[in-house]
Amino acid sequence: MDPSEVEFLAEKETVKIIPNFSLDKIYLIGGDLGPFNPGLPVDVPVWLALNLKQRQKCRIVPPAWMDVEKLEEMRELERKENAFTPAPSPYYMELTKLLLNYASDNIPKADEIRTLVKDLWDTRIAKLRLSADKFISQLEAHAKLDNLTLMEINTIRAFLLDSLNCMYKLRSNLLPGSSKGQFTDY
Amino acid sequence: MPCERKPMRYGHSEGHTEVCFDDSGRFLVTCGNDGDVRIWEGLDDDDPKFITVGEKAYSLALKNGKLVTASSNNTVQIHTFPDGDPDGILTRFTTNATHVAFNSSGSRVAAGSSDFMVKVVEVSDSSQQKTLRGHEAPVLSVTLDPKDDFLASASCDGSVAVWNIEEQSQLIRWPLLQKTNDVSNAKSLCRLAWQPAGALAVPVETKVHLYARGSWDLASTLSDDLQTQLINVVAWSPCGRFLAAGGVGGSLTVWDVTSELCVERQKHEKGFTVCGLAWSPSGSQLAYTDTEGCLGLLDGLGSSSSTSSSSTSTKPARKAAEDYDDLFDDDDDGRLMDEGLSDGNNSPVKKPVAGDDEDDDDCLMPATGRPRNRGAVLDDELSLGERGSLFCSAVTPAAPPPGPLRPVYEGPLPTPPQKAFQPGSTPAHLTHRFMMWNSVGIVRGYNDDQDNAVDVEFHDTAVHHAMHLTNSLGHTMADLSQEAVTGSYLMVLRTRAAIQEAGSVHQGGAKVLQVGHERSLTINTPGFDGDQALGVQLLRLGPRKRQLIRGEALPLSHRSHLTWLGFTAEGTPCYADSEGAVRMLNRSLGNTWTPVCNTGETCKSRSDHYWVVGVHENPQQLRCIPCKGSRYPPTLPRPAVAILPFKLPMCQTSTEKGLMEEQFLRSVLFENHFGFLSASGYEVDEEAQTRSQKEQQELLMKMFALSCKLEREFRCVELAELMTHNAVTLAIRYASRSRRMGLAQRLSEVALEKANRLQQQQEEEEEESEEEPDNRPEQVEQVPEPGEEEEEEEQAEEMEQDEEPETRKRQFHRGLVFVPPQVSSSASFSPSAAAPPRGTNILDNMASGRKASPLAGSAGKANKGPVLKPLPPRPRSKTQSTLLQMTSSKKKTQGITQKQPEAPPPAPPPAPPADSGENERPKTGFQLWLEENRKSICADHPELEETEVIKEAMGRFRTLSAEERLVRAPLPPPPPPRAPERSLKGLMRRLHLLKVFQLIRPTEQISRWVNKGGGGCNDAPPPFIHTIPNRH
């Protein structure tokens, strides 16, 4: 999976918008949307929200977690805990990126939020690397991926799996006595 | 009260705070626990200059541009004023100084310290110091004699001492105070003050002792009966006639020393202890600070003192003994009262200071409410004075002087009347505020240093684009509505003068009521015991002016005020009060107000509120803005509207029955507006009405079934009485099926009764309709707005292909009556020729005169919800063709118009895929033909059902010759009005489909498909499209 695919999945999340047009309910395969009343908030998927926003047909109401105070709290908690804390949203990184890129004028303190989310992300990725390191050095057989978001798993998956494969090959070659892994090579 | 108590403002962090004026009286200078000295240019200064003098500042004194402060580093420092540059250290102690004071000329500074010492230092030469030793505890305060000979000090050892400065010796010592070990523990700060003329004022518990200079005798004692707590600090006015005292618990008292009368009595608005007092050099203002770091000001003291001085100057000096007072007490009181009345000044109790027993009685009597033989005026005034101070925070400014000779009244007090306000706007004193937020748009007002402007924004940008106007005239009110005939907007701006009116008159913006209802609200009558008595009027304007509600009382929750008043979008008056209760006019119940929602219940905390911006009855929505911890929303960040459901206050809403009852009643209540609208001659959304009626009947049936199950037969019968005839039949069937024959019997009686009643009603109605056919004029008045017309046309397109005859007839009629604005301007159009402005050319050419009907009909059609009876469902083929249609709708429709005449559709219900594009659906030849000939068909076969009529019509149409059919050439599609929205919908669909495809198909294929033109018409669409379920 590449990041754009994850982002694509993230676009299915709903977000509140305040449209400035009126339109009846529309019936889509993915569910009904609307009705759109000017000035009244309505829930729509992110892809539609961004599209409407780019056409200047709506204002986006930032999700509740996209708030400086809440994010600061989460960041502190993330720094304190050893394990991963629950992410503000399963697609927090993608949503932040999408919303801040296209609708930063509707989000108060956009810059601060950007840095905070980046901090959060960095902390989590660092933790992830650290635990991957531990995982390898201590020759663990399995690891729990609690509270990891799809994007985070994706960033490390390709690298981790490849390197694990590689190491497995190397190890099994090191021990000629063991029959494991021989057949994978040749 | 003649003096005005300005609102307190935050000065320093919590803790001991002191204040003084500079020599000019222009600046207020405060010091506080945060170690800063702040220089305020008046109380309203938002950005005071500050000088940091240490970690804490205990005391300050200011004279001749020298600012002396006692700070936490045990020094007494000088700073220049107003620049705030450090100017050296005056003196040091072994611990912190507690109080510093200048002499009258400003040449010397006295400082008392917690190390028991008092020092007197020359400002010009700090080496010249006099040290006064003798106190046995920290020094509380110091003051210098105006003639520079003496110094008085108070200390925690309980003594107040007078010193000779030159000899550095103690002259006299009074043990007046309670002993404590530290300043922080002292009950009273005991700030002394030396009168410019000579007397030394010493606050002793709740009184102030005045000692004569030289003889050091107790000259007199100033007291106030209402002073129950210790006095902390005293200060002499510059003229030396008035003495102000501030005390624990926030009391502020001013005495006229010559008469020993209390001339002013105020209370700190929050009851914090006053610990700093300063008179302005002019003597008209008194600044005070409290132990919480706040700064306050009493203004206009000069005027009050002059009037009282004029009234008291005639009297003999009252320094005499107390028994002397006793003798003349009554007379003096009476005279004073008269004078007080004559100049309309009733603020303080004008009462001898010396607490004589007789007078105390006077004060007590009114409280018990016993009638007294001693002149009611006196009692009343006294009681009022007492009340005025007791309820200072609540009523002082507003309490009007009661008429003379009113009997003693000690009951609940009048509630201060609510100030005039405009619903939907935040208070005018805010610099950034909403001048109006309603269903149409938002008007924001900015009034700060940089900008004085008004921002107008419409929720629906199709109404009008946003605007930014400069507000050079200082407008404070605004309103927005959609109703203007131009179809754009109407803005009413009024200047401040309008606000001064007792009520705010506000033009109704209810769009449905185009002729306009205007309401007027008058707020005048004060209520009692926290309840206001507001009057409300409902006026109906337009051709038949009428006052529907004549100043009746508006019921408000206990101790609340009105926060919003307006019309729902459907035109029913509605209001909200500060407790969160929203009430709506129930027209069916003799114009009573029914509570429909309590926003307070949905709030998370007590300090949260909902700020109502609009009420809609259909759909049932209460639009409001949640405000966290305030009553009004801030302009930034932009608040979001929340929608609350309505909920009638009913018992047992937790049970199923209660829930259904609530739903039923709510449905009935919110259906009222339909009746009202149709009664006043407006178009009604009949679809919605039938829907809500159906909902009601369903609910009734459910309740009926429920009570049947519970064997509550009487309830069943009662419910049945509420039902319509059809529903009763159903109910009877239900009852008989569930083997309740007795019930069924009774129900059939009910049904019979109902049928009879119905018949009677119909007869009556017929008579009535004959009597008054005067409903028409109003309809004629109704001028369709272009904006609305667009909507109508849009709906006309969306309209199903066939219409019911009777609706068409009505529309036709209306089409004649309606004169669209564009046409009416160009003089002489006969009604029949009044063609709608758009897309009529072909039609007109083709069939002049009467032929205006179909289009005129559709254009003049009801705005919302075209009246469409259930027709044979025409399945919208919304599979591939929909998609294709949308992508190339323009081209396609042209193609259709060319194709169609040759091949009229065989049957309208399953419409051919070619013209089923939702957006632009041209009328087929058959339709046109049908519309023209429907009447004749109906006449021929009156018994036919709708579907059968169409079938019949189809048969006839087939018999026509090809040429005849060709004449019915379909209209070219009217230009798509509101193109953005239409295309938006299509776009949303396309986007969505793309998303869906992407999910199931490899991206490449899709992009290829998209690049080819988004499923262009000739291209074979992706096969799986057929599997998409049809949503209709």
Side-chain angles (χ1 to χ4, degrees):
Chain A
M1 245 177 152
D2 65 51
S4 62
E5 283 173 294
V6 183
E7 188 183 89
F8 175 80
L9 290 178
E11 284 179 2
K12 268 190 17 178
E13 289 286 289
T14 58
V15 69
K16 253 195 187 32
I17 60 163
I18 297 173
N20 59 17
F21 58 92
S22 64
L23 189 65
D24 271 346
K25 217 169 177 175
I26 54 172
Y27 304 95
L28 301 178
I29 305 169
D32 303 349
L33 296 182
F36 298 87
N37 286 316
L40 284 191
V42 61
D43 279 317
V44 295
V46 171
W47 57 265
L48 184 59
L50 293 180
N51 194 283
L52 291 174
K53 172 72 197 171
Q54 279 171 314
R55 277 157 213 284
Q56 302 186 327
K57 290 264 164 222
C58 75
R59 279 188 309 117
I60 293 181
V61 182
W65 55 267
M66 207 176 272
D67 174 77
V68 173
E69 275 172 35
K70 280 183 190 158
L71 284 173
E72 266 170 2
E73 247 170 58
M74 280 180 208
R75 186 184 60 179
E76 292 317 308
L77 193 71
E78 188 67 56
R79 285 180 177 167
K80 254 198 301 188
E81 295 276 318
N82 277 327
F84 290 97
T85 54
S89 145
Y91 299 103
Y92 73 99
M93 193 61 198
E94 302 90 304
L95 289 184
T96 314
K97 206 176 147 225
L98 286 170
L99 294 186
L100 289 184
N101 278 355
Y102 295 106
S104 54
D105 51 333
N106 293 153
I107 298 168
K109 301 187 183 167
D111 290 340
E112 279 178 58
I113 286 172
R114 204 191 289 269
T115 9
L116 279 170
V117 171
K118 188 79 173 72
D119 283 357
L120 193 67
W121 168 264
D122 287 346
T123 322
R124 289 171 73 97
I125 291 297
K127 256 188 212 179
L128 192 60
R129 288 211 187 103
L130 215 66
S131 60
D133 181 43
K134 234 189 230 167
F135 178 74
I136 290 165
S137 61
Q138 294 177 357
L139 297 173
E140 297 286 346
H142 65 275
K144 255 173 120 183
L145 295 177
D146 282 3
N147 290 332
L148 271 181
T149 64
L150 192 55
M151 190 61 123
E152 286 158 352
I153 294 173
N154 254 304
T155 51
I156 203 152
R157 175 161 40 207
F159 170 72
L160 188 66
L161 291 186
D162 280 355
S163 44
L164 282 176
N165 276 338
C166 225
M167 276 164 48
Y168 177 65
K169 271 184 219 165
L170 291 172
R171 279 205 188 107
S172 47
N173 287 341
L174 261 181
L175 304 169
S178 76
S179 60
K180 270 198 276 175
Q182 291 289 340
F183 60 88
T184 51
D185 273 333
Y186 307 108
Chain B
M1 291 266 178
C3 100
E4 184 192 356
R5 192 185 63 182
K6 297 273 180 69
M8 299 292 289
R9 59 172 302 155
Y10 174 81
H12 295 270
S13 59
E14 220 170 279
H16 179 78
T17 313
E18 279 199 10
V19 63
C20 63
F21 276 93
D22 80 322
D23 297 332
S24 66
R26 195 173 145 216
F27 295 104
L28 275 162
V29 187
T30 58
C31 76
N33 221 6
D34 48 9
D36 284 348
V37 170
R38 281 177 215 267
I39 301 165
W40 311 76
E41 199 169 345
L43 192 67
D44 301 325
D45 189 358
D46 285 325
D47 188 22
K49 256 180 73 176
F50 69 90
I51 312 163
T52 307
V53 295
E55 273 176 29
K56 283 184 177 185
Y58 292 102
S59 180
L60 87 166
L62 175 63
K63 206 154 241 175
N64 300 344
K66 304 266 185 207
L67 177 71
V68 177
T69 53
S71 66
S72 54
N73 54 1
N74 305 346
T75 57
V76 175
Q77 315 171 41
I78 307 184
H79 288 81
T80 58
F81 183 85
D83 302 326
D85 303 324
D87 200 11
I89 288 172
L90 204 57
T91 183
R92 287 175 199 275
F93 292 96
T94 52
T95 176
N96 61 286
T98 53
H99 192 203
V100 289
F102 267 105
N103 66 353
S104 52
S105 63
S107 60
R108 279 174 169 182
V109 170
S113 158
S114 288
D115 63 4
F116 309 177
M117 283 208 284
V118 177
K119 285 185 184 176
V120 181
V121 193
E122 293 288 329
V123 175
S124 52
D125 181 7
S126 59
S127 62
Q128 294 199 19
Q129 296 194 356
K130 306 267 192 230
T131 311
L132 308 172
R133 295 167 204 269
H135 278 303
E136 291 151 7
V139 178
L140 282 170
S141 73
V142 289
T143 181
L144 278 163
D145 173 32
K147 289 178 186 151
D148 258 7
D149 294 335
F150 305 114
L151 180 144
S153 65
S155 161
C156 288
D157 60 14
S159 65
V160 173
V162 179
W163 312 75
N164 185 320
I165 300 170
E166 282 310 310
E167 296 167 11
Q168 303 187 27
S169 62
Q170 208 173 66
L171 285 178
I172 193 164
R173 178 190 174 106
W174 300 287
L176 293 169
L177 313 171
Q178 275 191 341
K179 285 188 185 182
T180 51
N181 57 1
D182 189 45
V183 179
S184 57
N185 297 330
K187 291 251 166 57
S188 157
L189 288 174
C190 195
R191 290 275 193 255
L192 310 171
W194 219 304
Q195 189 183 17
L200 172 67
V202 181
V204 180
E205 292 180 341
T206 62
K207 295 174 180 158
V208 180
H209 289 191
L210 296 182
Y211 292 95
R213 185 177 183 271
S215 66
W216 311 118
D217 292 331
L218 179 63
S220 61
T221 306
L222 302 174
S223 72
D224 184 9
D225 294 332
L226 296 168
Q227 185 78 40
T228 53
Q229 284 178 297
L230 299 182
I231 291 176
N232 226 357
V233 43
V234 293
W236 288 100
S237 69
C239 60
R241 251 189 64 196
F242 300 101
L243 179 72
V248 178
S251 65
L252 289 163
T253 318
V254 179
W255 285 280
D256 183 339
V257 184
T258 48
S259 59
E260 295 178 13
L261 289 179
C262 169
V263 293
E264 190 61 63
R265 191 184 292 129
Q266 287 282 1
K267 190 139 172 73
H268 184 292
E269 62 185 28
K270 288 194 183 110
F272 296 147
T273 298
V274 174
C275 59
L277 264 184
W279 287 87
S280 69
S282 64
S284 63
Q285 292 180 323
L286 182 65
Y288 57 98
T289 50
D290 63 29
T291 51
E292 299 292 315
C294 295
L295 171 68
L297 192 70
L298 298 181
D299 202 355
L301 283 164
S303 57
S304 83
S305 24
S306 65
T307 55
S308 71
S309 68
S310 70
S311 67
T312 50
S313 59
T314 54
K315 288 192 302 178
R318 295 176 54 92
K319 282 192 182 146
E322 289 175 20
D323 46 357
Y324 184 71
D325 271 340
D326 256 298
L327 286 170
F328 289 91
D329 170 46
D330 292 356
D331 286 342
D332 282 340
D333 262 3
R335 199 164 71 218
L336 261 173
M337 264 38 264
D338 293 340
E339 280 159 2
L341 276 177
S342 61
D343 51 23
N345 168 8
N346 61 317
S347 59
V349 187
K350 284 172 182 156
K351 199 157 61 71
V353 182
D356 47 349
D357 299 338
E358 176 68 20
D359 219 345
D360 282 346
D361 279 348
D362 286 352
C363 280
L364 288 172
M365 281 309 181
T368 58
R370 229 178 329 134
R372 290 184 44 102
N373 50 6
R374 251 192 64 189
V377 183
L378 177 62
D379 284 356
D380 194 36
E381 281 301 294
L382 281 173
S383 73
L384 182 85
E386 200 168 51
R387 244 177 20 198
S389 62
L390 285 177
F391 296 99
C392 206
S393 57
V395 269
T396 310
L405 288 171
R406 208 178 57 162
V408 179
Y409 177 67
E410 228 348 273
L413 290 165
T415 311
Q418 183 176 354
K419 282 196 186 130
F421 74 104
Q422 191 192 14
S425 69
T426 50
H429 63 78
L430 303 172
T431 50
H432 289 204
R433 59 185 282 253
F434 289 112
M435 290 164 88
M436 171 52 72
W437 184 320
N438 60 18
S439 303
V440 179
I442 303 168
V443 184
R444 269 169 300 178
Y446 301 99
N447 188 6
D448 50 20
D449 299 339
Q450 306 144 12
D451 209 7
N452 189 357
V454 175
D455 258 350
V456 187
E457 200 182 307
F458 293 86
H459 292 316
D460 193 342
T461 42
V463 176
H464 198 278
H465 57 81
M467 288 179 292
H468 183 85
L469 315 165
T470 51
N471 188 5
S472 48
L473 294 171
H475 295 303
T476 55
M477 281 170 85
D479 193 12
L480 269 181
S481 94
Q482 223 165 3
E483 66 171 345
V485 180
T486 55
S488 63
Y489 68 99
L490 170 77
M491 223 173 110
V492 189
L493 285 172
R494 280 174 213 160
T495 43
R496 187 166 275 277
I499 295 185
Q500 305 296 335
E501 295 168 17
S504 63
V505 179
H506 175 93
Q507 189 161 5
K511 187 190 163 199
V512 194
L513 313 181
Q514 275 162 11
V515 190
H517 277 194
E518 184 159 346
R519 70 164 170 239
S520 116
L521 155 74
T522 34
I523 305 170
N524 263 331
T525 343
F528 286 101
D529 199 17
D531 288 332
Q532 293 189 77
L534 298 183
V536 64
Q537 294 185 14
L538 181 63
L539 306 173
R540 176 196 178 132
L541 302 182
R544 285 189 300 171
K545 293 192 177 60
R546 214 145 46 99
Q547 192 178 20
L548 298 173
I549 300 181
R550 288 178 191 77
E552 282 163 25
L554 192 67
L556 287 177
S557 309
H558 186 55
R559 288 189 191 283
S560 66
H561 56 262
L562 192 68
T563 54
W564 190 84
L565 181 103
F567 289 97
T568 65
E570 282 74 22
T572 313
C574 194
Y575 71 91
D577 65 31
S578 59
E579 291 291 299
V582 181
R583 292 188 182 79
M584 201 169 82
L585 191 74
N586 189 349
R587 288 200 175 91
S588 65
L589 214 63
N591 286 347
T592 51
W593 298 93
T594 312
V596 289
C597 182
N598 192 349
T599 60
E601 282 173 5
T602 39
C603 289
K604 282 191 190 101
S605 85
R606 260 191 76 81
S607 54
D608 291 359
H609 294 277
Y610 279 97
W611 191 62
V612 178
V613 293
V615 183
H616 287 236
E617 288 177 76
N618 181 30
Q620 294 177 14
Q621 288 176 339
L622 178 64
R623 300 179 182 184
C624 42
I625 298 172
C627 310
K628 247 191 176 161
S630 68
R631 286 193 179 277
Y632 304 104
T635 50
L636 276 174
R638 219 181 130 109
V641 180
I643 294 173
L644 295 183
F646 289 111
K647 188 167 182 277
L648 299 189
M650 300 272 289
C651 291
Q652 286 186 324
T653 41
S654 50
T655 66
E656 200 181 350
K657 173 187 145 267
L659 208 66
M660 282 196 284
E661 277 174 359
E662 196 266 336
Q663 276 177 353
F664 175 69
L665 271 183
R666 182 150 47 91
S667 176
V668 170
L669 180 66
F670 282 93
E671 198 210 309
N672 277 339
H673 74 268
F674 291 120
F676 166 72
L677 286 184
S678 55
S680 10
Y682 296 108
E683 274 303 320
V684 181
D685 183 353
E686 285 180 27
E687 201 183 342
Q689 190 176 6
T690 44
R691 210 184 318 130
S692 72
Q693 275 166 355
K694 207 175 144 214
E695 183 199 35
Q696 285 165 25
Q697 294 307 320
E698 272 170 16
L699 278 168
L700 279 175
M701 273 315 286
K702 273 189 206 162
M703 284 195 275
F704 178 82
L706 193 72
S707 38
C708 251
K709 239 181 258 170
L710 298 172
E711 308 198 356
R712 302 279 161 88
E713 298 207 349
F714 274 111
R715 201 194 289 166
C716 287
V717 176
E718 275 170 14
L719 285 172
E721 271 165 11
L722 293 173
M723 292 180 191
T724 58
H725 192 72
N726 287 347
V728 174
T729 334
L730 273 176
I732 294 172
R733 216 179 291 164
Y734 184 93
S736 51
R737 279 221 191 122
S738 54
R739 306 221 182 104
R740 294 181 198 285
M741 287 334 224
L743 180 62
Q745 194 83 43
R746 224 171 296 158
L747 288 183
S748 60
E749 282 166 25
V750 172
L752 201 65
E753 214 173 289
K754 260 187 195 299
N756 287 340
R757 224 180 302 150
L758 203 67
Q759 211 171 356
Q760 273 180 358
Q761 259 174 12
Q762 268 173 351
E763 278 165 20
E764 276 169 27
E765 264 170 33
E766 271 163 33
E767 280 168 30
E768 269 176 33
S769 62
E770 277 164 28
E771 277 166 19
E772 26 169 4
D774 61 354
N775 257 3
R776 285 281 156 249
E778 274 184 21
Q779 278 196 354
V780 180
E781 286 278 324
Q782 201 179 14
V783 178
E785 341 163 321
E788 194 179 319
E789 208 174 320
E790 274 183 33
E791 226 172 72
E792 286 154 3
E793 269 175 51
E794 184 190 316
Q795 252 144 10
E797 291 159 25
E798 271 200 299
M799 234 164 26
E800 303 295 324
Q801 302 197 340
D802 306 282
E803 287 168 354
E804 220 193 14
E806 55 175 88
T807 20
R808 238 165 25 98
K809 234 189 286 172
R810 197 168 74 218
Q811 282 160 7
F812 179 56
H813 170 77
R814 287 184 55 138
L816 296 179
V817 177
F818 273 26
V819 183
Q822 291 95 323
V823 180
S824 62
S825 58
S826 56
S828 62
F829 264 97
S830 72
S832 62
R838 244 183 264 251
T840 53
N841 305 353
I842 292 187
L843 187 73
D844 285 344
N845 296 343
M846 184 183 74
S848 56
R850 109 205 126 93
K851 273 61 174 191
S853 63
L855 230 172
S858 56
K861 221 177 124 42
N863 41 6
K864 288 272 157 118
V867 190
L868 291 173
K869 281 289 153 66
L871 289 176
R874 183 192 56 82
R876 292 187 192 177
S877 59
K878 234 197 351 177
T879 51
Q880 75 211 58
S881 57
T882 323
L883 190 70
L884 307 184
Q885 192 72 30
M886 281 181 291
T887 56
S888 59
S889 53
K890 282 246 164 93
K891 240 193 276 168
K892 231 159 183 199
T893 42
Q894 277 172 3
I896 293 163
T897 42
Q898 284 161 7
K899 254 191 270 169
Q900 228 138 62
E902 282 92 41
D915 73 348
S916 66
E918 282 206 314
N919 303 348
E920 280 89 19
R921 193 180 304 122
K923 298 209 166 178
T924 61
F926 170 69
Q927 270 174 278
L928 289 173
W929 184 84
L930 176 68
E931 278 166 21
E932 282 166 34
N933 294 288
R934 184 190 288 270
K935 249 189 255 174
S936 66
I937 296 174
C938 287
D940 293 351
H941 308 276
E943 77 287 350
L944 283 186
E945 288 285 303
E946 178 63 27
T947 42
E948 288 166 76
V949 168
I950 294 164
K951 269 185 205 156
E952 170 74 23
M954 238 180 304
R956 290 191 190 192
F957 188 72
R958 286 214 185 96
T959 58
L960 292 174
S961 66
E963 295 82 57
E964 271 174 308
R965 287 188 204 176
L966 257 177
V967 177
R968 320 284 166 207
L971 296 172
R978 294 220 176 176
E981 262 71 14
R982 312 300 308 157
S983 63
L984 197 67
K985 193 165 178 178
L987 192 113
M988 281 186 202
R989 286 231 162 90
R990 237 184 99 199
L991 268 174
H992 176 70
L993 277 178
L994 273 180
K995 298 286 291 188
V996 176
F997 295 167
Q998 250 175 313
L999 269 178
I1000 33 185
R1001 295 224 118 192
T1003 344
E1004 250 177 74
Q1005 246 177 302
I1006 293 171
S1007 56
R1008 208 183 320 133
W1009 178 72
V1010 173
N1011 289 340
K1012 265 187 195 166
C1017 15
N1018 302 327
D1019 203 28
F1024 56 79
I1025 278 188
H1026 294 293
T1027 63
I1028 296 167
N1030 196 340
R1031 284 226 152 241
H1032 276 284

